[in-house]
Amino acid sequence: MLRPPYLQAGDKVALISPAGTIAPECIEYAEKILCSWGLIPVRGRYATSRHDDFAGSDYERLQDMQWVMDEEEIRAIFCTSGGYGCLRIIEKLDYSLFQGNPKWFIGCQEISIFHSQINELGMESLYAPMLCAYPHLTEAALERIKGFLFGSISSYKIEKNALAAPGIVEAELTGGDIRIIHHLQSTTIQHDLKGTVLFLDSTYNSLETEKIIRYMKLSKIFQHLRGLILCNKGIQANIELTQLIQEITGIYDYPVYTGIPASDHPDSHPIILGSNIRFAVNESDIEIDFL
């Protein structure tokens, strides 16, 4: 996988809305944060547009996406919000210039559709909070986003909890939003999950999360992995879901960790999708090194 160049002060970065809308005050807040990092934020033409439930029409959102992928001076692409809409435009994009000039693509949840496509094209991307969440993030979470994009952070050490299985593995990390990953199976933009450490982020309730995990079990996804990392704030509080995860992963000899705060969690931890990682579940902690 090709890692985009790390950011430097003075770099131009784009703010776009490929799916849902963002409140003007949220995007203004995020712009101040990016400026404090020494970056030059440039809004997409339709970043704050509204068309029904979307940030502009399909054509307008497509225009913004194609612009940021093609524009040579833009060094990173920050998605403002999630929601439905990415699926309407992803097949209409031309990725040829983007492949020749890779740049960081940042977002979570439904933005996982683009992460899968970018990883399938051989480039890494950053699963991290969208700009609409910036007002609610801790200072530490914002510093992590900056650290990953500027290349000053490349590893985590997290306290172990009960929902973990020991082991050490080095493999590609892939995945994203659990529902998106489930829906992408057997599609033309699905990134191959076999032999990877799979990261699954669920912002859904426990029953919805359980349903998707059971479908994925029937699809035999878990048996081909080399590791599993899950993010869901409600899993540890749901005994049935906890038991289901332990039942599924207990028969496999690979490390498992459930509980890393990601997505729009106030203390979110960014994830470089497509990266080779060293994933170690030790006696007292979990280590993730992005290589």
Side-chain angles (χ1 to χ4, degrees), residues 175-196:
D177 181 273
I178 189 171
R179 186 154 60 186
I180 299 299
I181 298 304
H182 170 56
H183 287 327
L184 285 179
Q185 291 179 63
S186 301
T187 67
T188 57
I189 61 173
Q190 178 195 24
H191 186 55
D192 190 5
L193 306 180
K194 292 181 180 179
T196 68

PDB file of all heavy atoms in Angstrom, residues 175-196:
ATOM      1  N   GLY A 175     -10.894  -2.403   6.762  1.00  0.00           N
ATOM      2  CA  GLY A 175     -12.221  -2.398   7.380  1.00  0.00           C
ATOM      3  C   GLY A 175     -12.852  -1.025   7.390  1.00  0.00           C
ATOM      4  O   GLY A 175     -12.670  -0.217   6.486  1.00  0.00           O
ATOM      5  N   GLY A 176     -13.628  -0.751   8.458  1.00  0.00           N
ATOM      6  CA  GLY A 176     -14.355   0.505   8.581  1.00  0.00           C
ATOM      7  C   GLY A 176     -15.685   0.268   9.256  1.00  0.00           C
ATOM      8  O   GLY A 176     -15.820  -0.617  10.110  1.00  0.00           O
ATOM      9  N   ASP A 177     -16.689   1.029   8.879  1.00  0.00           N
ATOM     10  CA  ASP A 177     -18.026   0.901   9.442  1.00  0.00           C
ATOM     11  C   ASP A 177     -18.569  -0.504   9.201  1.00  0.00           C
ATOM     12  O   ASP A 177     -18.571  -0.994   8.071  1.00  0.00           O
ATOM     13  CB  ASP A 177     -18.947   1.941   8.802  1.00  0.00           C
ATOM     14  CG  ASP A 177     -20.350   1.888   9.343  1.00  0.00           C
ATOM     15  OD1 ASP A 177     -21.157   1.098   8.806  1.00  0.00           O
ATOM     16  OD2 ASP A 177     -20.647   2.629  10.294  1.00  0.00           O
ATOM     17  N   ILE A 178     -19.052  -1.143  10.250  1.00  0.00           N
ATOM     18  CA  ILE A 178     -19.428  -2.557  10.169  1.00  0.00           C
ATOM     19  C   ILE A 178     -20.548  -2.810   9.160  1.00  0.00           C
ATOM     20  O   ILE A 178     -20.519  -3.796   8.415  1.00  0.00           O
ATOM     21  CB  ILE A 178     -19.812  -3.100  11.570  1.00  0.00           C
ATOM     22  CG1 ILE A 178     -19.995  -4.621  11.538  1.00  0.00           C
ATOM     23  CG2 ILE A 178     -21.055  -2.398  12.114  1.00  0.00           C
ATOM     24  CD1 ILE A 178     -20.167  -5.235  12.923  1.00  0.00           C
ATOM     25  N   ARG A 179     -21.516  -1.911   9.101  1.00  0.00           N
ATOM     26  CA  ARG A 179     -22.632  -2.115   8.173  1.00  0.00           C
ATOM     27  C   ARG A 179     -22.172  -1.921   6.723  1.00  0.00           C
ATOM     28  O   ARG A 179     -22.578  -2.666   5.827  1.00  0.00           O
ATOM     29  CB  ARG A 179     -23.781  -1.158   8.494  1.00  0.00           C
ATOM     30  CG  ARG A 179     -25.030  -1.426   7.652  1.00  0.00           C
ATOM     31  CD  ARG A 179     -26.302  -0.982   8.340  1.00  0.00           C
ATOM     32  NE  ARG A 179     -26.310   0.453   8.627  1.00  0.00           N
ATOM     33  CZ  ARG A 179     -27.274   1.051   9.333  1.00  0.00           C
ATOM     34  NH1 ARG A 179     -28.263   0.325   9.837  1.00  0.00           N
ATOM     35  NH2 ARG A 179     -27.242   2.349   9.540  1.00  0.00           N
ATOM     36  N   ILE A 180     -21.302  -0.934   6.487  1.00  0.00           N
ATOM     37  CA  ILE A 180     -20.783  -0.715   5.145  1.00  0.00           C
ATOM     38  C   ILE A 180     -19.947  -1.903   4.689  1.00  0.00           C
ATOM     39  O   ILE A 180     -20.082  -2.383   3.556  1.00  0.00           O
ATOM     40  CB  ILE A 180     -19.949   0.578   5.080  1.00  0.00           C
ATOM     41  CG1 ILE A 180     -20.803   1.799   5.431  1.00  0.00           C
ATOM     42  CG2 ILE A 180     -19.310   0.743   3.713  1.00  0.00           C
ATOM     43  CD1 ILE A 180     -21.965   2.035   4.505  1.00  0.00           C
ATOM     44  N   ILE A 181     -19.081  -2.390   5.571  1.00  0.00           N
ATOM     45  CA  ILE A 181     -18.238  -3.545   5.219  1.00  0.00           C
ATOM     46  C   ILE A 181     -19.105  -4.752   4.892  1.00  0.00           C
ATOM     47  O   ILE A 181     -18.830  -5.504   3.950  1.00  0.00           O
ATOM     48  CB  ILE A 181     -17.256  -3.863   6.359  1.00  0.00           C
ATOM     49  CG1 ILE A 181     -16.312  -2.678   6.611  1.00  0.00           C
ATOM     50  CG2 ILE A 181     -16.462  -5.125   6.051  1.00  0.00           C
ATOM     51  CD1 ILE A 181     -15.535  -2.230   5.392  1.00  0.00           C
ATOM     52  N   HIS A 182     -20.175  -4.930   5.653  1.00  0.00           N
ATOM     53  CA  HIS A 182     -21.099  -6.039   5.383  1.00  0.00           C
ATOM     54  C   HIS A 182     -21.776  -5.869   4.023  1.00  0.00           C
ATOM     55  O   HIS A 182     -21.845  -6.812   3.225  1.00  0.00           O
ATOM     56  CB  HIS A 182     -22.141  -6.095   6.495  1.00  0.00           C
ATOM     57  CG  HIS A 182     -23.288  -7.029   6.233  1.00  0.00           C
ATOM     58  ND1 HIS A 182     -23.112  -8.360   5.954  1.00  0.00           N
ATOM     59  CD2 HIS A 182     -24.630  -6.807   6.191  1.00  0.00           C
ATOM     60  CE1 HIS A 182     -24.292  -8.939   5.764  1.00  0.00           C
ATOM     61  NE2 HIS A 182     -25.226  -8.010   5.893  1.00  0.00           N
ATOM     62  N   HIS A 183     -22.250  -4.658   3.716  1.00  0.00           N
ATOM     63  CA  HIS A 183     -22.957  -4.422   2.455  1.00  0.00           C
ATOM     64  C   HIS A 183     -22.031  -4.513   1.245  1.00  0.00           C
ATOM     65  O   HIS A 183     -22.483  -4.822   0.135  1.00  0.00           O
ATOM     66  CB  HIS A 183     -23.623  -3.045   2.472  1.00  0.00           C
ATOM     67  CG  HIS A 183     -24.837  -2.958   3.357  1.00  0.00           C
ATOM     68  ND1 HIS A 183     -25.693  -4.012   3.554  1.00  0.00           N
ATOM     69  CD2 HIS A 183     -25.333  -1.919   4.096  1.00  0.00           C
ATOM     70  CE1 HIS A 183     -26.667  -3.651   4.365  1.00  0.00           C
ATOM     71  NE2 HIS A 183     -26.468  -2.392   4.721  1.00  0.00           N
ATOM     72  N   LEU A 184     -20.745  -4.225   1.438  1.00  0.00           N
ATOM     73  CA  LEU A 184     -19.814  -4.205   0.303  1.00  0.00           C
ATOM     74  C   LEU A 184     -19.379  -5.595  -0.148  1.00  0.00           C
ATOM     75  O   LEU A 184     -18.724  -5.726  -1.190  1.00  0.00           O
ATOM     76  CB  LEU A 184     -18.563  -3.393   0.669  1.00  0.00           C
ATOM     77  CG  LEU A 184     -18.719  -1.869   0.706  1.00  0.00           C
ATOM     78  CD1 LEU A 184     -17.408  -1.217   1.098  1.00  0.00           C
ATOM     79  CD2 LEU A 184     -19.200  -1.338  -0.641  1.00  0.00           C
ATOM     80  N   GLN A 185     -19.736  -6.629   0.602  1.00  0.00           N
ATOM     81  CA  GLN A 185     -19.315  -7.971   0.233  1.00  0.00           C
ATOM     82  C   GLN A 185     -19.778  -8.310  -1.196  1.00  0.00           C
ATOM     83  O   GLN A 185     -20.913  -8.077  -1.567  1.00  0.00           O
ATOM     84  CB  GLN A 185     -19.887  -9.005   1.207  1.00  0.00           C
ATOM     85  CG  GLN A 185     -19.285  -8.912   2.597  1.00  0.00           C
ATOM     86  CD  GLN A 185     -19.903  -9.936   3.533  1.00  0.00           C
ATOM     87  OE1 GLN A 185     -19.769 -11.136   3.312  1.00  0.00           O
ATOM     88  NE2 GLN A 185     -20.566  -9.463   4.572  1.00  0.00           N
ATOM     89  N   SER A 186     -18.839  -8.833  -1.971  1.00  0.00           N
ATOM     90  CA  SER A 186     -19.086  -9.281  -3.348  1.00  0.00           C
ATOM     91  C   SER A 186     -19.367  -8.139  -4.306  1.00  0.00           C
ATOM     92  O   SER A 186     -19.849  -8.370  -5.426  1.00  0.00           O
ATOM     93  CB  SER A 186     -20.250 -10.295  -3.394  1.00  0.00           C
ATOM     94  OG  SER A 186     -19.959 -11.416  -2.586  1.00  0.00           O
ATOM     95  N   THR A 187     -19.063  -6.900  -3.914  1.00  0.00           N
ATOM     96  CA  THR A 187     -19.203  -5.777  -4.840  1.00  0.00           C
ATOM     97  C   THR A 187     -17.860  -5.488  -5.512  1.00  0.00           C
ATOM     98  O   THR A 187     -16.820  -5.999  -5.092  1.00  0.00           O
ATOM     99  CB  THR A 187     -19.678  -4.501  -4.120  1.00  0.00           C
ATOM    100  OG1 THR A 187     -18.643  -4.056  -3.225  1.00  0.00           O
ATOM    101  CG2 THR A 187     -20.954  -4.759  -3.339  1.00  0.00           C
ATOM    102  N   THR A 188     -17.881  -4.630  -6.514  1.00  0.00           N
ATOM    103  CA  THR A 188     -16.656  -4.319  -7.255  1.00  0.00           C
ATOM    104  C   THR A 188     -15.691  -3.440  -6.473  1.00  0.00           C
ATOM    105  O   THR A 188     -14.531  -3.310  -6.859  1.00  0.00           O
ATOM    106  CB  THR A 188     -16.995  -3.608  -8.578  1.00  0.00           C
ATOM    107  OG1 THR A 188     -17.760  -2.422  -8.295  1.00  0.00           O
ATOM    108  CG2 THR A 188     -17.798  -4.520  -9.487  1.00  0.00           C
ATOM    109  N   ILE A 189     -16.154  -2.813  -5.387  1.00  0.00           N
ATOM    110  CA  ILE A 189     -15.262  -1.944  -4.609  1.00  0.00           C
ATOM    111  C   ILE A 189     -14.889  -2.548  -3.258  1.00  0.00           C
ATOM    112  O   ILE A 189     -14.277  -1.878  -2.434  1.00  0.00           O
ATOM    113  CB  ILE A 189     -15.869  -0.535  -4.405  1.00  0.00           C
ATOM    114  CG1 ILE A 189     -17.185  -0.625  -3.633  1.00  0.00           C
ATOM    115  CG2 ILE A 189     -16.058   0.171  -5.729  1.00  0.00           C
ATOM    116  CD1 ILE A 189     -17.736   0.748  -3.265  1.00  0.00           C
ATOM    117  N   GLN A 190     -15.248  -3.809  -3.033  1.00  0.00           N
ATOM    118  CA  GLN A 190     -14.860  -4.449  -1.778  1.00  0.00           C
ATOM    119  C   GLN A 190     -13.360  -4.709  -1.771  1.00  0.00           C
ATOM    120  O   GLN A 190     -12.814  -5.279  -2.725  1.00  0.00           O
ATOM    121  CB  GLN A 190     -15.597  -5.778  -1.597  1.00  0.00           C
ATOM    122  CG  GLN A 190     -15.191  -6.505  -0.309  1.00  0.00           C
ATOM    123  CD  GLN A 190     -15.614  -7.968  -0.293  1.00  0.00           C
ATOM    124  OE1 GLN A 190     -15.804  -8.577  -1.338  1.00  0.00           O
ATOM    125  NE2 GLN A 190     -15.761  -8.525   0.893  1.00  0.00           N
ATOM    126  N   HIS A 191     -12.702  -4.284  -0.707  1.00  0.00           N
ATOM    127  CA  HIS A 191     -11.288  -4.600  -0.542  1.00  0.00           C
ATOM    128  C   HIS A 191     -11.186  -5.977   0.088  1.00  0.00           C
ATOM    129  O   HIS A 191     -11.904  -6.294   1.040  1.00  0.00           O
ATOM    130  CB  HIS A 191     -10.613  -3.556   0.347  1.00  0.00           C
ATOM    131  CG  HIS A 191      -9.128  -3.726   0.451  1.00  0.00           C
ATOM    132  ND1 HIS A 191      -8.317  -3.771  -0.660  1.00  0.00           N
ATOM    133  CD2 HIS A 191      -8.317  -3.886   1.523  1.00  0.00           C
ATOM    134  CE1 HIS A 191      -7.068  -3.941  -0.286  1.00  0.00           C
ATOM    135  NE2 HIS A 191      -7.038  -4.015   1.035  1.00  0.00           N
ATOM    136  N   ASP A 192     -10.305  -6.806  -0.425  1.00  0.00           N
ATOM    137  CA  ASP A 192     -10.179  -8.189   0.038  1.00  0.00           C
ATOM    138  C   ASP A 192      -9.821  -8.233   1.522  1.00  0.00           C
ATOM    139  O   ASP A 192      -8.851  -7.624   1.962  1.00  0.00           O
ATOM    140  CB  ASP A 192      -9.102  -8.907  -0.787  1.00  0.00           C
ATOM    141  CG  ASP A 192      -9.094 -10.400  -0.534  1.00  0.00           C
ATOM    142  OD1 ASP A 192      -9.970 -10.899   0.196  1.00  0.00           O
ATOM    143  OD2 ASP A 192      -8.198 -11.072  -1.066  1.00  0.00           O
ATOM    144  N   LEU A 193     -10.607  -8.966   2.300  1.00  0.00           N
ATOM    145  CA  LEU A 193     -10.407  -9.039   3.743  1.00  0.00           C
ATOM    146  C   LEU A 193      -9.553 -10.235   4.161  1.00  0.00           C
ATOM    147  O   LEU A 193      -9.075 -10.283   5.301  1.00  0.00           O
ATOM    148  CB  LEU A 193     -11.762  -9.130   4.462  1.00  0.00           C
ATOM    149  CG  LEU A 193     -12.792  -8.047   4.137  1.00  0.00           C
ATOM    150  CD1 LEU A 193     -14.075  -8.288   4.924  1.00  0.00           C
ATOM    151  CD2 LEU A 193     -12.232  -6.660   4.441  1.00  0.00           C
ATOM    152  N   LYS A 194      -9.337 -11.166   3.276  1.00  0.00           N
ATOM    153  CA  LYS A 194      -8.612 -12.385   3.647  1.00  0.00           C
ATOM    154  C   LYS A 194      -7.171 -12.070   4.036  1.00  0.00           C
ATOM    155  O   LYS A 194      -6.474 -11.323   3.352  1.00  0.00           O
ATOM    156  CB  LYS A 194      -8.632 -13.383   2.482  1.00  0.00           C
ATOM    157  CG  LYS A 194     -10.015 -13.951   2.198  1.00  0.00           C
ATOM    158  CD  LYS A 194      -9.981 -14.949   1.056  1.00  0.00           C
ATOM    159  CE  LYS A 194     -11.372 -15.517   0.791  1.00  0.00           C
ATOM    160  NZ  LYS A 194     -11.357 -16.475  -0.335  1.00  0.00           N
ATOM    161  N   GLY A 195      -6.747 -12.642   5.155  1.00  0.00           N
ATOM    162  CA  GLY A 195      -5.373 -12.465   5.608  1.00  0.00           C
ATOM    163  C   GLY A 195      -5.095 -11.121   6.246  1.00  0.00           C
ATOM    164  O   GLY A 195      -3.937 -10.756   6.445  1.00  0.00           O
ATOM    165  N   THR A 196      -6.140 -10.377   6.577  1.00  0.00           N
ATOM    166  CA  THR A 196      -5.961  -9.048   7.169  1.00  0.00           C
ATOM    167  C   THR A 196      -6.344  -9.037   8.641  1.00  0.00           C
ATOM    168  O   THR A 196      -6.985  -9.964   9.145  1.00  0.00           O
ATOM    169  CB  THR A 196      -6.826  -7.998   6.444  1.00  0.00           C
ATOM    170  OG1 THR A 196      -8.214  -8.256   6.714  1.00  0.00           O
ATOM    171  CG2 THR A 196      -6.577  -8.019   4.951  1.00  0.00           C
TER     172      THR A 196
END
